[in-house]
Amino acid sequence: MPRPIQATIHLDALQHNLARMRAAAPDAKVWGVVKADAYGHGIERVYEGLRGADGFALLDLEEAQRVRSLGWRGPVLLLEGVFEPRDLELCSRLALWHTVHCDEQIDMLAMHKTREPHRVFLKLNSGMNRLGFAPRRFRAAWTRLNGLPQVGEISLMTHFSDADGPKGIAHQLRVFDEITRDLPGERTLSNSAASLRHGADPAVRADWIRPGIGVYGSAPDYPEHDIAHWDLQPTMTLAARIIAVQQLAPGDSVGYGSHFAADAPMRIGVAACGYADGYPRHCGTGTPVLVDGMRTRIVGRVSMDMITVDLTALPQAGFGSEVTLWGRAGNGAVLAIDEPARSAGTLGYELMCALARRVPVVTA
Ligand SMILES: *Cc1c(COP(=O)(O)O)cnc(C)c1O
């Protein structure tokens, strides 16, 4: 029998969350962001759930090929554009739209031989200082692109650094509006946080939104808001089973480093999930888990293949009980991925992307 651990991808939840993101910006088309192998879910696994999107956005050319192999004939956008000249051949062949964020990418286009002009998304660096043309250089880049026979429609794009927090997006929006006001073309601005928190603001109206994390059932601004607040559902469940039970007397400790010691009699369940499965080692004592759908906590350190959980208040739980590390339990109870992520000092993004290869995955 295989080790009792499994991840489940929930197609109904993907559909639900996609509809939620669409409702947050009802006038916009929706890029389903499927970079990083659909945030660790697997592009092929999420495809049925997300094919209601208007397009797919990702970074990796190999992943773009996989989306085309699934039969997707609609828009595919490369969010970082091309990395070397021959990438443009694949863009031509697979009809990929691509971001243009630097002069080198325009140089490559100028040398490229293509029959069909490329659809490009010219990116403005409106303050995040990662990708994009600086405001004072943006118009020149647009003019140069517009003069190339290799280029067809030019769309306009930027990315917000603080959509999930108190600083917000107004300062970047002002820069974007000022620079692009009289330029033609479709616009795309918002990730999940901007779509959910600012989607109702007429100033952020755009032709396309680019939600990722919200589609995958994690609240982009947790802990200020949780998935229940945004009406999102977990799309990935990581669940294992209890493979052993220990009784502790007061003073007994659990796990490596004797990190946790009981101050009263305790029952401890050992679950078949560890950091080699992608469960963060930084999830310390107190991190919530569900056992048979009931909330309890981790005690002691996460090890490579096992974690230890407190069963003291769950006398009916024992060998074989279901342990939900994140997602949806068999009884319907939900543990958002944001909770263990926060215990580990990180985000739901990192946990879902880090699901280990040794964990079998099913879709439901
Ligand atoms: C990853 C990414 C997104 C999606 O962001 P979420 O926070 O996951 O919604 C949107 N736009 C760009 C350019 C990205 O790289």
Side-chain angles (χ1 to χ4, degrees):
M1 187 185 149
R3 196 165 152 259
I5 181 168
Q6 182 169 282
T8 306
I9 306 303
H10 305 286
L11 296 179
D12 57 342
L14 288 161
Q15 275 167 353
H16 170 90
N17 296 342
L18 184 66
R20 269 296 295 134
M21 298 309 305
R22 202 181 270 291
D27 306 331
K29 290 175 276 187
V30 179
W31 290 112
V33 179
V34 293
K35 64 187 177 186
D37 202 13
Y39 288 48
H41 290 59
I43 287 174
E44 287 76 9
R45 291 189 199 104
V46 300
Y47 182 67
E48 263 322 298
L50 296 186
R51 60 188 303 170
D54 300 290
F56 289 104
L58 39 68
L59 316 174
D60 187 294
L61 276 98
E62 186 259 341
E63 290 185 347
Q65 266 174 308
R66 283 162 57 196
V67 170
R68 286 287 184 237
S69 303
L70 286 163
W72 178 256
R73 303 166 81 100
V76 174
L77 174 63
L78 296 176
L79 288 166
E80 293 182 350
V82 297
F83 306 102
E84 55 176 331
R86 64 175 187 173
D87 294 346
L88 287 169
E89 290 160 25
L90 204 64
C91 291
S92 295
R93 185 143 49 83
L94 299 179
L96 308 179
W97 300 358
H98 49 101
T99 299
V100 172
H101 63 76
C102 63
D103 290 310
E104 290 80 357
Q105 290 178 327
I106 305 183
D107 297 341
M108 291 185 223
L109 266 166
M111 310 276 290
H112 179 52
K113 292 186 176 43
T114 180
R115 236 173 305 164
E116 290 294 322
H118 285 207
R119 168 97 181 245
V120 297
F121 280 65
L122 183 61
K123 188 160 189 180
L124 173 70
N125 170 12
S126 57
M128 188 166 185
N129 290 309
R130 223 173 42 173
L131 299 183
F133 288 91
R136 70 191 152 73
R137 304 208 40 245
F138 189 81
R139 309 280 305 206
W142 188 90
T143 303
R144 192 175 163 217
L145 272 180
N146 195 43
L148 292 180
Q150 292 90 341
V151 172
E153 205 172 326
I154 305 174
S155 303
L156 310 172
M157 175 177 182
T158 197
H159 194 54
F160 298 124
S161 58
D162 287 83
D164 57 333
K167 190 169 176 192
I169 62 173
H171 60 296
Q172 288 184 260
L173 209 49
R174 209 173 310 122
V175 174
F176 183 83
D177 283 344
E178 201 178 296
I179 302 297
T180 63
R181 192 171 300 141
D182 55 345
L183 290 177
E186 290 194 329
R187 277 129 165 94
T188 177
L189 312 173
S190 297
N191 60 1
S192 301
S195 304
L196 288 170
R197 290 169 67 96
H198 306 282
D201 178 350
V204 294
R205 277 238 172 96
D207 301 284
W208 293 85
I209 57 170
R210 307 188 303 269
I213 197 70
V215 168
Y216 301 104
S218 164
D221 56 357
Y222 186 81
E224 184 183 345
H225 298 113
D226 61 13
I227 56 170
H229 174 89
W230 295 122
D231 184 23
L232 299 169
Q233 299 173 2
T235 58
M236 178 193 284
T237 292
L238 178 62
R241 294 202 177 273
I242 299 281
I243 57 168
V245 175
Q246 301 291 345
Q247 297 287 340
L248 303 192
D252 286 351
S253 62
V254 193
Y256 285 119
S258 301
H259 230 61
F260 174 85
D263 53 13
M266 285 184 80
R267 244 174 115 239
I268 298 295
V270 181
C273 177
Y275 61 77
D277 299 300
Y279 191 81
R281 187 173 171 280
H282 287 101
C283 285
T285 296
T287 303
V289 297
L290 306 176
V291 175
D292 288 337
M294 280 163 301
R295 234 177 132 91
T296 180
R297 58 177 180 144
I298 287 186
V299 288
R301 276 198 179 147
V302 173
S303 50
M304 184 184 284
D305 311 308
M306 285 174 265
I307 57 171
T308 38
V309 302
D310 187 354
L311 300 183
T312 311
L314 304 175
Q316 76 298 338
F319 184 90
S321 285
E322 172 201 65
V323 181
T324 306
L325 290 316
W326 62 71
R328 207 191 280 172
N331 72 352
V334 164
L335 177 65
I337 197 168
D338 303 317
E339 290 201 56
R342 185 162 175 81
S343 295
T346 183
L347 304 172
Y349 294 80
E350 191 177 357
L351 269 57
M352 54 181 82
C353 289
L355 183 73
R357 274 167 47 154
R358 78 174 189 183
V359 178
V361 185
V362 299
T363 47

